[in-house]
Amino acid sequence: EADIYQTPRYLVIGTGKKITLECSQTMGHDKMYWYQQDPGMELHLIHYSYGVNSTEKGDLSSESTVSRIRTEHFPLTLESARPSHTSQYLCASSETGPTNEKLFFGSGTQLSVL
Amino acid sequence: DAKTTQPNSMESNEEEPVHLPCNHSTISGTDYIHWYRQLPSQGPEYVIHGLTSNVNNRMASLAIAEDRKSSTLILHRATLRDAAVYYCILPGDDKIIFGKGTRLHILP
């Protein structure tokens, strides 16, 4: 079973606030990902990491930043939240291996910026 | 850009088989084909994956064309709980891009 956790599940916050979305996995996976998804729309990759101290930008430009200080933890930060950041944020992880490992997703954080 | 092409939506009657197609004409020799599905208000979940041979598991079957440029996810007996968006992806070694997927509607 997948053990990847995202907190909070829902977040309503005012414009200009700094927020951090947490993502943790207990599977020892090297690769981790952040996706952004609006209702009824496709997932957009915004950040990914190959392992500790590795962070890369995804296909969708995002004002958020990420860090990977520990294997199990991949937090996403918005320094100054805006209404345009309102969306669902999904974290995922996968192993690194020759069989192109499967992804495990968290339950997501639904962010609403007022 | 997504490396796969899928129909935007499909409909099927309950308790009938469903065949969800995916084209991946630029697939490389080492690319695995993965399928995920996303139920309403949830994150995507893994369904099945394969390289060359057809694959079966408790959720579905995956039929891969001989030239590997297309594949078909088969749900043998659709239920209302199978209504979801189904994604066909080629993870590769780099960033993993999801396309728009196929929204599957199940009619009771």
Side-chain angles (χ1 to χ4, degrees):
Chain A
E1 282 296 319
D3 293 302
I4 180 164
Y5 308 100
Q6 290 187 243
T7 57
R9 185 75 175 88
Y10 301 93
L11 179 61
V12 181
I13 200 160
T15 297
K17 300 291 186 183
K18 178 180 178 179
I19 59 168
T20 296
L21 308 184
E22 302 289 347
C23 176
S24 295
Q25 50 95 6
T26 58
M27 297 171 283
H29 289 170
D30 286 325
K31 287 182 156 181
M32 295 189 75
Y33 313 82
W34 276 103
Y35 291 87
Q36 183 176 342
Q37 186 178 37
D38 292 327
M41 305 298 284
E42 63 193 282
L43 292 100
H44 290 286
L45 180 67
I46 52 175
H47 299 284
Y48 61 105
S49 166
Y50 291 111
V52 171
N53 294 326
S54 154
T55 60
E56 305 286 343
K57 290 192 180 295
D59 274 17
L60 181 68
S61 176
S62 174
E63 294 167 344
S64 59
T65 59
V66 291
S67 62
R68 190 85 184 277
I69 298 171
R70 302 198 315 265
T71 297
E72 62 271 23
H73 197 210
F74 192 38
L76 180 146
T77 299
L78 276 166
E79 290 292 332
S80 180
R82 292 206 296 271
S84 61
H85 296 138
T86 294
S87 189
Q88 176 164 245
Y89 293 84
L90 287 157
C91 179
S93 72
S94 68
E95 294 176 347
T96 307
T99 60
N100 288 149
E101 60 297 332
K102 57 186 180 183
L103 284 163
F104 294 90
F105 279 85
S107 299
T109 293
Q110 180 61 53
L111 173 65
S112 297
V113 184
L114 306 177
Chain B
D1 290 335
K3 296 180 283 187
T4 61
T5 305
Q6 300 176 252
N8 288 335
S9 67
M10 290 183 64
E11 259 183 17
S12 178
N13 293 319
E14 195 177 11
E15 298 186 4
E16 290 187 358
V18 181
H19 290 234
L20 297 163
C22 180
N23 288 320
H24 27 79
S25 58
T26 60
I27 192 170
S28 75
T30 57
D31 278 337
Y32 278 72
I33 302 155
H34 283 228
W35 283 81
Y36 290 79
R37 73 176 185 180
Q38 186 173 22
L39 301 171
S41 303
Q42 295 186 26
E45 64 175 349
Y46 167 84
V47 177
I48 200 166
H49 78 284
L51 183 62
T52 56
S53 304
N54 294 344
V55 184
N56 299 294
N57 66 21
R58 63 175 181 83
M59 290 180 71
S61 296
L62 176 59
I64 301 172
E66 197 169 333
D67 63 5
R68 299 203 336 115
K69 293 186 176 181
S70 66
S71 61
T72 301
L73 180 71
I74 303 166
L75 306 178
H76 294 286
R77 195 162 166 267
T79 70
L80 295 177
R81 288 193 298 267
D82 292 321
V85 178
Y86 287 79
Y87 299 97
C88 165
I89 65 171
L90 309 178
D93 295 322
D94 205 339
K95 49 192 177 183
I96 300 178
I97 304 298
F98 283 74
K100 295 181 180 177
T102 296
R103 185 172 296 277
L104 177 63
H105 302 273
I106 305 297
L107 305 175

